[in-house]
């Protein structure tokens, strides 16, 4: 239900465009496929993924000789579901911790403004609801606002908070957050990091330094590195996914602000192009507006 609401703009944009593209046409022909290609691209599905989808529909048209435009929705939905299923990424059913070991350590990365702090707060809330003891670590020490905001979220959620203030060494904060989690029997430590995408080399250096110090505090940690992406930025989100997955080993994605955008198609492109599953989607500013991403539910909701 929240998902349907969250996808409203994407859905409207997509089907309005699709409707216009096939208006007055009965048969799926070259021209309709060209139009469909434009619709997918302008819905931020991404070029590579769009081409894959169009090729498949083309093959189907060739095979069946006559396809009615009224079937186009169904065919498109089928092909998208099949494409995403090929990724072999399992869907998660709930807000699961990434390991059975305690504490589980989750490192959060992403550029400023994408909704990192908010996503951490929402995630902490879900974990807390499930009976876990949570600590948030403020290792984004470059912005005073980031440290303050994280503290406010910790208070709101009612979880622990570890901070050394602004301009302190992020790797030290990360290390000590893990130590704090171990000493205080926390089930999970969620560590915020600075999102400065100046150069890939620096990004790599910063992230690996933080990662190393986390591993030093607890071998095996971090158990998850989650990249937060803003859906409203469309293709920029895909570029950021590229940069971060090249800079460090990212194993989960959170896609925020789906409620505010018609660019929800970016979820399809990201799922298709990266070997990293989308774990969560943000569908609003409220504490409850974080959902576990399910590919099938997403496509169903888009076409429902
Ligand atoms: P950060 O700089 O990456 O830490 O970004 P913040 O967490 O401070 O979020 C930036 C803005 O985006 C804030 O106004 C949030 O309320 C808003 N925001 C975050 N996630 C969502 C979402 O899923 N939907 C909407 N509509 N707004 C969001």
């Amino acid at each position: 239900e929240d998902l349907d609401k969250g996808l409203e703009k994407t859905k409207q944009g997509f089907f309005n465009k699709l409707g216009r593209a096939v208006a007055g046409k009965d048969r799926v022909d070259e021209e309709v496929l060209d139009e469909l290609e434009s619709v997918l691209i302008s819905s931020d599905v991404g070029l590579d993924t769009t081409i894959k989808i169009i090729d498949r529909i083309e093959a189907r048209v060739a095979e069946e000789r006559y396809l009615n435009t009224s079937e186009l929705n169904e065919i498109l939905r089928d092909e998208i579901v099949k494409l995403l299923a090929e990724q072999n990424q399992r869907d998660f059913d709930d807000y699961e911790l990434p390991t059975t070991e305690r504490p589980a350590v989750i490192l959060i990365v992403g550029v400023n403004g994408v909704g990192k702090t908010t996503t951490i707060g929402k995630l902490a809330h879900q974990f807390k609801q499930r009976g876990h003891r949570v600590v948030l670590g403020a290792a984004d020490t470059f912005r005073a606002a980031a440290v303050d905001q994280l503290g406010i979220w910790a208070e709101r959620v009612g979880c622990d908070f570890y901070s050394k203030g602004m301009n302190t060494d992020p790797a030290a904060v990360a290390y000590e957050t893990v130590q704090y989690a171990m000493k205080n029997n926390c089930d999970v430590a969620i560590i915020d990091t600075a999102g400065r995408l100046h150069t890939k080399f620096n990004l790599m250096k910063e992230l690996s330094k933080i990662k190393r110090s986390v591993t030093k505090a607890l071998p095996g940690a971090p158990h998850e590195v989650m990249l937060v992406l803003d859906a409203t930025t469309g293709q920029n989100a895909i570029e950021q996914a590229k940069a971060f997955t090249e800079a460090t080993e990212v194993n989960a994605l959170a896609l925020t602000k789906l409620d505010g955008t018609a660019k929800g198609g970016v979820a399809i492109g990201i799922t298709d192009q990266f070997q990293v599953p989308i774990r969560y989607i943000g569908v609003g500013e409220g504490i409850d507006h974080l959902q576990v991403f399910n590919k099938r539910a997403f496509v169903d909701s888009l076409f429902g």
Side-chain angles (χ1 to χ4, degrees):
E1 192 181 311
D2 264 358
L3 182 61
D4 287 340
K5 245 209 226 132
L7 287 178
E8 217 165 292
K9 282 195 183 158
T10 296
K11 207 162 147 172
Q12 262 178 21
F14 188 74
F15 290 107
N16 285 343
K17 283 184 222 156
L18 192 62
R20 259 177 276 145
V22 301
K25 296 195 150 256
D26 294 328
R27 181 179 180 169
V28 178
D29 55 16
E30 269 311 306
E31 211 179 313
V32 167
L33 287 177
D34 277 352
E35 291 289 343
L36 178 60
E37 186 173 309
S38 308
V39 170
L40 289 170
I41 288 172
S42 66
S43 301
D44 273 271
V45 170
L47 187 60
D48 297 345
T49 305
T50 295
I51 289 170
K52 268 196 223 170
I53 294 170
I54 295 292
D55 281 352
R56 287 166 187 227
I57 297 180
E58 221 160 26
R60 213 152 138 177
V61 170
E63 207 174 284
E64 301 187 19
R65 309 244 314 266
Y66 191 95
L67 278 181
N68 206 290
T69 51
S70 62
E71 297 169 81
L72 199 55
N73 268 2
E74 211 41 49
I75 294 166
L76 188 59
R77 174 210 193 109
D78 266 13
E79 293 303 334
I80 292 174
V81 168
K82 266 194 248 162
L83 187 72
L84 298 186
E86 284 160 21
Q87 275 302 337
N88 279 327
Q89 296 162 356
R90 90 176 168 100
D91 277 323
F92 293 81
D93 298 323
D94 198 23
Y95 302 82
E96 293 168 36
L97 293 181
T99 174
T100 51
E101 280 168 49
R102 297 292 177 263
V105 179
I106 303 173
L107 216 54
I108 308 288
V109 301
V111 304
N112 295 337
V114 293
K116 241 181 328 146
T117 315
T118 308
T119 301
I120 292 171
K122 289 169 174 174
L123 196 56
H125 171 68
Q126 295 297 345
F127 288 151
K128 175 115 196 287
Q129 297 278 87
R130 280 153 190 80
H132 298 310
R133 179 156 180 189
V134 184
V135 59
L136 304 186
D140 179 356
T141 59
F142 293 95
R143 296 183 299 164
V147 177
D148 294 348
Q149 284 300 317
L150 199 67
I152 291 169
W153 270 105
E155 209 160 285
R156 203 168 152 198
V157 168
C159 69
D160 296 23
F161 178 56
Y162 190 86
S163 164
K164 297 175 83 179
M166 209 193 144
N167 290 329
T168 50
D169 176 13
V173 177
Y175 182 88
E176 289 168 33
T177 301
V178 176
Q179 280 193 323
Y180 176 96
M182 289 159 73
K183 264 189 220 133
N184 293 280
N185 289 320
C186 293
D187 297 293
V188 54
I190 309 176
I191 301 172
D192 188 19
T193 65
R196 301 184 308 162
L197 190 60
H198 25 4
T199 69
K200 204 153 76 189
F201 179 70
N202 281 332
L203 180 71
M204 213 181 289
K205 256 189 9 193
E206 271 179 23
L207 291 179
S208 52
K209 193 173 167 214
I210 293 178
K211 243 175 126 173
R212 266 201 314 275
S213 70
V214 165
T215 310
K216 210 165 116 196
L218 178 67
H223 305 96
E224 186 163 89
V225 177
M226 180 149 76
L227 171 64
V228 182
L229 299 169
D230 177 345
T232 65
T233 65
Q235 292 313 291
N236 266 344
I238 292 192
E239 289 308 312
Q240 287 167 21
K242 260 191 208 130
F244 276 88
T245 50
E246 281 166 20
T248 188
E249 198 182 316
V250 174
N251 38 34
L253 299 173
L255 191 60
T256 64
K257 309 187 200 179
L258 272 172
D259 52 304
T261 182
K263 297 174 190 279
V266 74
I268 295 169
I270 286 176
T271 306
D272 173 46
Q273 284 179 49
F274 297 95
Q275 298 298 317
V276 184
I278 298 177
R279 284 289 306 274
Y280 303 108
I281 51 176
V283 293
E285 294 189 273
I287 195 164
D288 278 318
H289 290 146
L290 184 76
Q291 294 193 346
V292 174
F293 180 71
N294 179 288
K295 295 188 283 272
R296 174 109 226 170
F298 185 85
V299 177
D300 280 350
S301 183
L302 200 56
F303 286 87

